[in-house]
Amino acid sequence: MVASQIHLVRHGEVHNPSRVLYGRIPGFGLSDRGRSMAQAAADDLARRKRPVSRVIASPLQRTQESAAPIATAFELSIENDARVIEPSNYFEGMRMSSALRNPRNWYAVRNPRKPSWGEPYADIVTRMLEAITDAWENTESGDVVLVSHQLPIWMAHSSILGIPLHHDPRKRRCSLSSITTLEHSGKRFVEVGYAEPALLLTAGAVDVGAV
């Protein structure tokens, strides 16, 4: 037996008054609005009446807090998987608007196709698909929820759809607390759904933590 569906859930809004790119820096948890977003994602999954049997999250605080209401809704514990963590990034702790005006940082953006400022896109795809495949193969029945971050989810989406990995970060279809749903068909994964249960909460939300 294997899992039925894999739901890739992005975390909610992070408390980030300085508007820095937080990356893997510890101590960045959800804002009050972010907790409401996470609850909206949990409510959406619960309304689907699907048998969720596992909740797996990146070890960072914002994903752990976003996974909590989902785990509560299905009376499950949260499992950790570092393979779905935010990518490393040269610009961690900086405000991008000012960092890119500094000539000392220009070397970091010399190759946007790789990208040169952080973990290569191809490496992110590899670890995300490994985590997704393991979750699918090692779940006896029901669905699995993987709580991750914008770029890793977008990389999995791009790879599964066969579209280029390099892209404009401003054009990712992966809003806060969004849910991207996958199924396994034949010998590969296919995307079967995308939902934004927290859409009404995104107006005015701070979402500057990803590059």
Side-chain angles (χ1 to χ4, degrees), residues 1-3 54 133-141:
M1 298 294 291
V2 292
R54 297 177 70 190
T133 300
D134 279 355
W136 176 70
E137 291 180 342
N138 295 306
T139 300
E140 292 185 0
S141 63

Short mmCIF file of all heavy atoms in Angstrom, two decimals, residues 1-3 54 133-141:
data_model
loop_
_atom_site.label_atom_id
_atom_site.label_comp_id
_atom_site.label_asym_id
_atom_site.label_seq_id
_atom_site.Cartn_x
_atom_site.Cartn_y
_atom_site.Cartn_z
N MET A 1 0.84 -1.20 0.00
CA MET A 1 0.00 0.00 0.00
C MET A 1 0.88 1.25 0.00
O MET A 1 1.99 1.26 0.53
CB MET A 1 -0.91 0.01 1.23
CG MET A 1 -1.88 -1.17 1.28
SD MET A 1 -3.11 -1.10 -0.05
CE MET A 1 -4.08 0.32 0.47
N VAL A 2 0.37 2.30 -0.61
CA VAL A 2 1.08 3.57 -0.66
C VAL A 2 0.09 4.70 -0.36
O VAL A 2 -1.11 4.49 -0.29
CB VAL A 2 1.71 3.81 -2.05
CG1 VAL A 2 2.84 2.82 -2.31
CG2 VAL A 2 0.65 3.70 -3.15
N ALA A 3 0.63 5.93 -0.19
CA ALA A 3 -0.22 7.08 0.07
C ALA A 3 -1.11 7.37 -1.14
O ALA A 3 -0.76 7.06 -2.28
CB ALA A 3 0.63 8.29 0.41
N ARG A 54 -0.52 11.20 7.81
CA ARG A 54 0.79 11.70 8.26
C ARG A 54 0.89 13.19 8.00
O ARG A 54 0.39 13.69 6.98
CB ARG A 54 1.94 10.99 7.52
CG ARG A 54 2.02 9.50 7.78
CD ARG A 54 3.14 8.87 6.94
NE ARG A 54 4.46 9.26 7.41
CZ ARG A 54 5.59 9.00 6.72
NH1 ARG A 54 5.53 8.38 5.54
NH2 ARG A 54 6.77 9.35 7.21
N THR A 133 8.64 11.18 -2.63
CA THR A 133 8.60 9.76 -2.97
C THR A 133 8.63 8.89 -1.72
O THR A 133 7.87 7.91 -1.61
CB THR A 133 9.77 9.39 -3.89
OG1 THR A 133 9.68 10.18 -5.10
CG2 THR A 133 9.75 7.92 -4.27
N ASP A 134 9.48 9.25 -0.76
CA ASP A 134 9.54 8.49 0.49
C ASP A 134 8.20 8.55 1.23
O ASP A 134 7.73 7.54 1.76
CB ASP A 134 10.65 9.04 1.39
CG ASP A 134 12.02 8.51 1.02
OD1 ASP A 134 12.10 7.65 0.11
OD2 ASP A 134 13.01 8.95 1.63
N ALA A 135 7.60 9.73 1.25
CA ALA A 135 6.31 9.87 1.93
C ALA A 135 5.26 9.01 1.25
O ALA A 135 4.44 8.37 1.91
CB ALA A 135 5.88 11.34 1.94
N TRP A 136 5.27 8.98 -0.06
CA TRP A 136 4.29 8.19 -0.81
C TRP A 136 4.52 6.69 -0.60
O TRP A 136 3.59 5.94 -0.31
CB TRP A 136 4.38 8.53 -2.29
CG TRP A 136 3.49 7.71 -3.17
CD1 TRP A 136 2.11 7.75 -3.23
CD2 TRP A 136 3.89 6.70 -4.09
NE1 TRP A 136 1.65 6.84 -4.14
CE2 TRP A 136 2.71 6.18 -4.69
CE3 TRP A 136 5.12 6.21 -4.49
CZ2 TRP A 136 2.74 5.17 -5.65
CZ3 TRP A 136 5.16 5.20 -5.46
CH2 TRP A 136 3.98 4.70 -6.02
N GLU A 137 5.78 6.25 -0.72
CA GLU A 137 6.08 4.82 -0.64
C GLU A 137 5.96 4.26 0.76
O GLU A 137 5.65 3.07 0.93
CB GLU A 137 7.50 4.56 -1.16
CG GLU A 137 7.66 4.77 -2.66
CD GLU A 137 9.07 4.49 -3.13
OE1 GLU A 137 9.99 4.45 -2.28
OE2 GLU A 137 9.27 4.32 -4.35
N ASN A 138 6.21 5.07 1.77
CA ASN A 138 6.29 4.57 3.14
C ASN A 138 5.08 4.95 3.98
O ASN A 138 5.15 5.02 5.21
CB ASN A 138 7.57 5.08 3.81
CG ASN A 138 8.81 4.52 3.14
OD1 ASN A 138 8.95 3.31 3.00
ND2 ASN A 138 9.70 5.40 2.70
N THR A 139 3.97 5.21 3.33
CA THR A 139 2.70 5.46 4.02
C THR A 139 1.73 4.36 3.61
O THR A 139 1.47 4.17 2.42
CB THR A 139 2.14 6.84 3.63
OG1 THR A 139 3.10 7.84 4.01
CG2 THR A 139 0.83 7.10 4.35
N GLU A 140 1.23 3.62 4.57
CA GLU A 140 0.42 2.45 4.26
C GLU A 140 -0.89 2.81 3.59
O GLU A 140 -1.38 2.08 2.72
CB GLU A 140 0.17 1.63 5.52
CG GLU A 140 1.43 0.97 6.08
CD GLU A 140 1.13 0.07 7.26
OE1 GLU A 140 -0.05 -0.04 7.64
OE2 GLU A 140 2.07 -0.51 7.80
N SER A 141 -1.49 3.90 3.98
CA SER A 141 -2.75 4.33 3.37
C SER A 141 -3.02 5.77 3.75
O SER A 141 -2.41 6.32 4.67
CB SER A 141 -3.91 3.44 3.83
OG SER A 141 -4.10 3.57 5.23
#
